[in-house]
């Protein structure tokens, strides 16, 4: 999954429909989770994120770097989530426009929430890169399997499960560091 | 703000591996003094916290969303073309009209045509359809016609009247898995080796051993199925992406579609226990357990017919939102739904619907309610006020 920044940027700017699949892979789930933390509604979160991505596709906006794009996504999802809440309150269909004021400040708490979402998003992207044995253990635990069940399914001891899981997460964290160049800086 | 965001993300990333190096004390103290940022660092170091977040991420299917995106973009491109084409066509027709006017000096009064209202675009219900994948990877498609298949191991698979059953599995000593996939607009009834009956609903998948060997009978389900488990010496277990059901001889319905927020397991008779992420809930007949996207389990009493009626050919909706009803019907009738007005989604309906009737019968009833109007175009249903 070695994608360089240029590739993502080209996909965004040049509206390459096929390459946009990667953008969904990289951003969609995290943005939905981010929207959900604001609107507290599963289905609406999905609609908000889909809307934002379609509006970006329709717009002529050019992004100078992936970090610009990433920042824009969070801002747009945040703003649209607020519009959604407001439209619920006033029972009117709010203008679902992307009125993004890029310099408007988040409050400290929202700022931190955004930083956290972005970091988890980057960790999540690297699950695919995990070495096979660690990946298996982590994917099973994401499916809700308990330590014992994972041990049973894979035919390994519970201690190995714990070790692999631990090493898996450590690997993801280290990956963040290795790939500093990839998304930001 | 943007610069600060980028800088903060970067510094926290560095801190994740810092534990080993002990460098950059300043970066650390700076971040660790901030009450919000401090929490982020702690959360990122907490495996359980990450598992919880990742589980939530998995509830949002990026591939489904991407497909939706592609469909919308293509529709838009198509519309643009149509507008261009139709304006060209309009000019052409106008041109023809002028010629016609010039050639015919007198007008003839047009005869009024009596419009007969014929119901066009009838959408039929789903039917028995399945795809069976054998252990060797061979795929068998099942539809209307009965068939008999004999596999290399001497096992006989029979398919008649929408029902699959196995014969000659007697001498097997190890687990050999087959996989039954039901497409959108399909259903299938299968009898497993131990006599357990499973009715599979549309867009679902069941993986099961041809013969149950060992101390547990385990099958894996994605989607929806109704089980009538034969009592046996070993416990019967249904695994889903969100937890497992442990049973001893009983009837129940499991509904666990990947793209939906909640998964439902409804017990009709007997006793089952539901296990997920170290939580266990026991169910009595008439009770249901709901697993929501955030991994929480919730138990409640329900009218089981509302949840298992589909198996006997009846959908029962009680104060269900139009959106949730349509989600169900989309799977069975293999159609697409377009809401011209988002508020329609929340209108609640109560009523019964024959599963094998056309979808048009249901749409007519909807229209009669006075709140919803519809139009059928090919396989797309457009709902408006």
């Amino acid at each position: 999954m070695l994608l360089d920044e240029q590739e993502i940027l080209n996909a965004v700017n040049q509206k390459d429909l096929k390459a946009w699949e990667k953008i969904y892979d990289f951003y969609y789930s995290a943005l939905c989770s981010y929207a959900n933390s604001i609107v507290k509604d599963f289905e609406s979160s999905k609609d908000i994120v889909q809307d934002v991505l379609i509006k970006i596709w329709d717009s002529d906006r050019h992004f100078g770097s992936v970090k610009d794009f990433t920042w824009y996504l969070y801002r747009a999802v945040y703003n649209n989530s607020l519009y959604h809440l407001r439209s619920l309150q006033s029972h009117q269909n709010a203008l679902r426009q992307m009125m993004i004021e890029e310099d408007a400040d988040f409050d400290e708490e929202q700022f931190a929430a955004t930083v956290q979402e972005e970091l988890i998003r980057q960790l999540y992207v690297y699950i695919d890169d995990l070495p096979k044995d660690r990946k298996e253990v982590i994917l099973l635990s994401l499916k809700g399997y308990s330590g014992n069940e994972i041990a049973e399914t894979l035919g390994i001891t519970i201690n190995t499960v714990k070790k692999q899981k631990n090493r898996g997460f450590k690997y993801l964290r280290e990956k963040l560091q290795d790939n500093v160049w990839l998304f930001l800086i | 703000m943007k610069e600060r965001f980028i800088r903060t993300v970067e510094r926290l990333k560095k801190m994740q591996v810092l534990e080993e190096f002990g460098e950059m004390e300043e970066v650390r103290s700076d971040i660790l003094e901030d009450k919000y940022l401090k929490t982020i660092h702690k959360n990122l170091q907490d495996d359980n916290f990450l598992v919880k977040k990742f589980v939530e991420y998995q509830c949002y299917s990026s591939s489904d969303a991407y497909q939706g995106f592609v469909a919308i973009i293509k529709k838009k491109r198509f519309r643009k073309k149509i507008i261009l084409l139709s304006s060209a066509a309009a000019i052409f027709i106008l041109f023809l009209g002028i010629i016609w006017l010039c050639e015919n000096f007198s007008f003839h009064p047009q005869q009024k045509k009596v419009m007969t209202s014929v119901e066009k675009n009838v959408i039929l219900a789903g039917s028995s359809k399945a795809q069976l994948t054998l252990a060797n990877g061979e795929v068998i498609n099942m539809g209307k016609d009965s068939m008999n298949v004999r596999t290399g191991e001497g096992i006989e698979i029979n398919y008649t009247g929408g029902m699959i059953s196995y014969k000659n599995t007697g001498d097997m000593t190890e687990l050999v898995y087959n996989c039954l996939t039901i497409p959108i607009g399909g259903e299938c009834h299968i009898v497993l080796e131990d006599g357990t009956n499973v009715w599979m609903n549309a867009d679902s998948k069941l993986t099961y051993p041809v013969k149950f060997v060992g101390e547990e009978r385990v099958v894996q389900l994605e989607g929806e199925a109704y089980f009538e488990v034969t009592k046996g010496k070993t416990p019967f277990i249904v695994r889903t992406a969100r937890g497992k059901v442990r049973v001893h001889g009983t009837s129940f319905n499991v509904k666990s579609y990947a793209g939906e927020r909640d998964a439902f397991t409804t017990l009709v008779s007997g006793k089952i226990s539901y296990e997920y992420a170290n939580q266990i809930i026991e169910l009595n007949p008439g009770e249901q357990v709901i697993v929501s996207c955030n991994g929480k389990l919730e138990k409640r009493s329900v009218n089981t017919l509302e949840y298992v009626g589909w198996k006997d050919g009846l959908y029962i909706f009680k104060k269900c939102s139009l959106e949730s009803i349509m989600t169900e019907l989309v799977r069975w009738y293999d159609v697409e739904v377009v809401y011209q007005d988002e508020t329609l989604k929340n209108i609640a309906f109560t009523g019964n619907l024959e599963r094998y009737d056309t979808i048009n019968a249901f749409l007519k009833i909807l229209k009669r309610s006075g709140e919803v109007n519809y139009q059928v175009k090919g396989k797309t249903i457009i709902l408006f006020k």
Side-chain angles (χ1 to χ4, degrees):
Chain A
M1 205 219 43
L2 276 173
L3 264 173
D4 67 71
E5 190 161 327
Q6 203 51 46
E7 226 174 306
I8 300 175
L9 211 55
N10 287 346
V12 181
N13 286 336
Q14 294 171 8
K15 314 274 148 87
D16 177 346
L17 192 52
K18 222 171 161 196
W20 269 61
E21 188 167 10
K22 275 274 166 261
I23 293 172
Y24 271 82
D25 284 350
F26 285 174
Y27 291 98
Y28 181 75
S29 305
L31 292 175
C32 285
S33 173
Y34 183 69
N36 195 22
S37 70
I38 303 162
V39 301
K40 312 259 188 273
D41 182 77
F42 182 73
E43 294 298 331
S44 312
S45 312
K46 293 201 289 193
D47 292 345
I48 288 168
V49 174
Q50 188 74 301
D51 265 11
V52 164
L53 289 165
I54 287 169
K55 290 255 164 62
I56 292 180
W57 176 275
D58 284 342
S59 79
D60 295 326
R61 206 184 168 90
H62 238 255
F63 295 93
S65 69
V66 170
K67 57 197 174 207
D68 282 351
F69 176 61
T70 308
W71 173 246
Y72 185 87
L73 282 173
Y74 282 110
R75 293 293 321 194
V77 169
Y78 176 73
N79 283 341
N80 280 16
S81 300
L82 293 190
Y83 282 124
H84 175 80
L85 289 180
R86 264 180 235 152
S87 74
L88 282 184
Q89 275 168 6
S90 60
H91 289 286
Q92 281 172 0
N93 274 328
L95 295 167
R96 282 261 200 95
Q97 284 173 353
M98 255 203 279
M99 291 168 55
I100 181 160
E101 302 149 52
E102 289 203 53
D103 294 323
D105 282 356
F106 285 132
D107 63 29
E108 283 303 303
E109 200 175 351
Q110 190 58 40
F111 176 79
T114 313
V115 168
Q116 175 163 304
E117 204 67 70
E118 171 60 10
L119 286 160
I120 294 168
R121 180 188 75 79
Q122 295 192 24
L123 285 173
Y124 187 67
V125 166
Y126 296 119
I127 292 183
D128 256 357
D129 279 7
L130 281 169
K132 189 169 164 280
D133 45 355
R134 282 173 246 179
K135 189 168 158 184
E136 272 177 345
V137 170
I138 288 194
L139 287 181
L140 285 176
S141 60
L142 295 189
K143 277 187 173 176
Y145 281 44
S146 69
N148 279 322
E149 287 173 346
I150 298 173
E152 209 178 291
T153 312
L154 299 178
I156 50 178
T157 66
I158 178 84
N159 275 331
T160 316
V161 171
K162 281 182 191 156
K163 215 165 69 191
Q164 295 288 27
K165 198 168 152 185
N166 202 283
R167 283 176 55 204
F169 280 106
K170 206 169 144 201
Y171 179 92
L172 292 180
R173 287 187 200 103
E174 283 169 8
K175 208 64 183 169
L176 273 187
Q177 180 68 3
D178 290 352
N179 288 278
V180 169
W181 57 271
L182 205 157
F183 284 87
L184 300 150
I185 278 193
Chain B
M1 192 102 198
K2 180 164 84 186
E3 278 65 39
R4 189 172 150 226
F5 171 75
I6 292 164
R7 215 169 46 234
T8 316
V9 167
E10 221 38 56
R11 284 155 101 191
L12 274 156
K13 275 163 89 169
K14 284 190 184 133
M15 280 171 66
Q16 296 314 306
V17 278
L18 217 75
E19 306 296 328
E20 281 107 286
F21 298 110
E23 301 165 15
M24 302 168 73
E25 276 303 322
E26 331 150 22
V27 177
R28 263 177 126 172
S29 56
D30 190 18
I31 287 209
L32 293 179
E33 265 162 35
D34 184 297
K35 83 171 166 183
Y36 295 119
L37 299 182
K38 191 170 68 187
T39 321
I40 299 180
H41 179 62
K42 212 179 79 204
N43 287 343
L44 288 179
Q45 293 289 329
D46 178 358
D47 293 353
N48 290 329
F49 177 84
L50 293 177
V51 166
K52 249 168 81 188
K53 279 299 288 189
F54 290 171
V55 166
E56 196 204 335
Y57 278 15
Q58 287 189 331
C59 290
Y60 304 104
S61 161
S62 67
S63 57
D64 286 358
Y66 174 69
Q67 275 164 20
F69 176 77
V70 170
I72 291 168
I73 300 302
K74 287 201 171 147
K75 216 181 267 170
K76 279 190 176 166
R77 281 182 182 168
F78 182 69
R79 247 186 244 148
K80 259 189 204 161
K81 268 189 207 155
I82 289 289
I83 291 170
L84 277 177
L85 275 176
S86 51
S87 35
I91 293 169
F92 183 65
I93 289 168
L94 196 69
F95 182 67
L96 281 184
I98 292 168
I99 293 178
W100 182 83
L101 274 179
C102 294
E103 288 184 354
N104 299 270
F105 296 102
S106 60
F107 289 94
H108 300 288
Q110 273 220 320
Q111 276 192 322
K112 269 190 188 165
K113 280 180 194 157
V114 182
M115 291 290 284
T116 44
S117 71
V118 180
E119 182 81 41
K120 274 186 290 179
N121 295 320
V122 173
I123 297 176
L124 299 176
S127 57
S128 292
K129 246 178 274 172
Q131 201 176 57
L132 182 66
T133 312
L134 302 179
N136 61 9
E138 196 187 322
V139 176
I140 303 167
N141 282 308
M142 293 160 168
K144 271 190 212 143
D145 305 330
S146 301
M147 58 171 90
N148 231 327
V149 181
R150 194 183 282 273
T151 71
E153 298 95 356
I155 304 160
E156 224 176 278
I157 304 170
N158 184 271
Y159 175 75
T160 345
M163 184 176 100
I164 299 175
S165 58
Y166 284 77
K167 260 189 210 157
N168 294 340
T169 53
D171 341 319
M172 297 179 71
T173 49
E174 48 186 276
L175 290 171
V176 176
Y177 289 92
N178 282 4
C179 177
L180 186 63
T181 311
I182 317 297
I184 291 176
E187 65 174 354
C188 187
H189 173 190
I190 177 170
V191 184
L192 301 177
E193 168 265 328
D194 65 343
T196 292
N197 284 278
V198 187
W199 284 265
M200 303 281 298
N201 205 345
D203 194 17
S204 303
K205 186 170 146 187
L206 185 76
T207 310
Y208 54 93
V210 172
K211 185 184 165 79
F212 291 108
V213 179
E215 285 166 13
E216 285 176 340
R217 294 175 281 168
V218 185
V219 299
Q220 172 100 28
L221 173 74
E222 286 167 39
E224 180 166 24
Y226 181 84
F227 290 85
E228 270 178 22
V229 175
T230 306
K231 268 206 171 100
K233 282 180 193 139
T234 55
F236 190 94
I237 291 169
V238 182
R239 265 190 188 290
T240 69
R242 276 185 271 179
K244 62 182 187 187
V245 186
R246 186 182 289 270
V247 273
H248 285 274
T250 194
S251 305
F252 59 99
N253 190 69
V254 178
K255 183 179 186 184
S256 175
Y257 283 103
E260 290 183 10
R261 185 184 57 188
D262 298 323
F264 303 90
T265 298
T266 316
L267 181 61
V268 176
S269 66
K271 200 167 180 78
I272 58 178
S273 57
Y274 196 92
E275 301 173 30
Y276 182 61
N278 298 326
Q279 308 164 75
I280 299 182
I281 283 191
E282 295 216 330
L283 289 192
N284 290 315
E287 288 182 331
Q288 177 182 66
V289 62
I290 306 171
V291 190
S292 61
C293 192
N294 57 19
K296 267 191 208 129
L297 294 188
E298 188 198 317
K299 184 163 89 168
R300 62 176 189 180
S301 290
V302 295
N303 173 6
T304 54
L305 270 183
E306 282 174 48
Y307 296 89
V308 307
W310 66 269
K311 179 216 139 206
D312 298 315
L314 197 62
Y315 282 115
I316 299 169
F317 299 111
K318 213 172 158 189
K319 287 188 190 152
C320 286
S321 70
L322 185 57
E323 187 177 23
S324 64
I325 295 175
M326 292 316 288
T327 309
E328 197 78 39
L329 301 189
V330 160
R331 265 200 291 271
W332 179 236
Y333 290 97
D334 191 8
V335 289
E336 214 183 310
V337 179
V338 178
Y339 299 87
Q340 288 205 337
D341 189 326
E342 288 288 310
T343 57
L344 288 175
K345 289 182 176 178
N346 301 319
I347 301 177
F349 287 94
T350 298
N352 298 347
L353 172 64
E354 294 276 351
R355 185 168 156 91
Y356 298 101
D357 213 338
T358 62
I359 199 167
N360 305 64
F362 166 71
L363 293 172
K364 276 184 201 154
I365 297 169
L366 266 194
K367 194 173 172 181
R368 226 177 288 151
S369 75
E371 293 188 81
V372 186
N373 216 329
Y374 72 95
Q375 201 183 350
V376 180
K377 277 187 182 167
K379 282 236 150 193
T380 306
I381 295 166
I382 302 160
L383 299 174
F384 52 94
K385 273 191 175 171

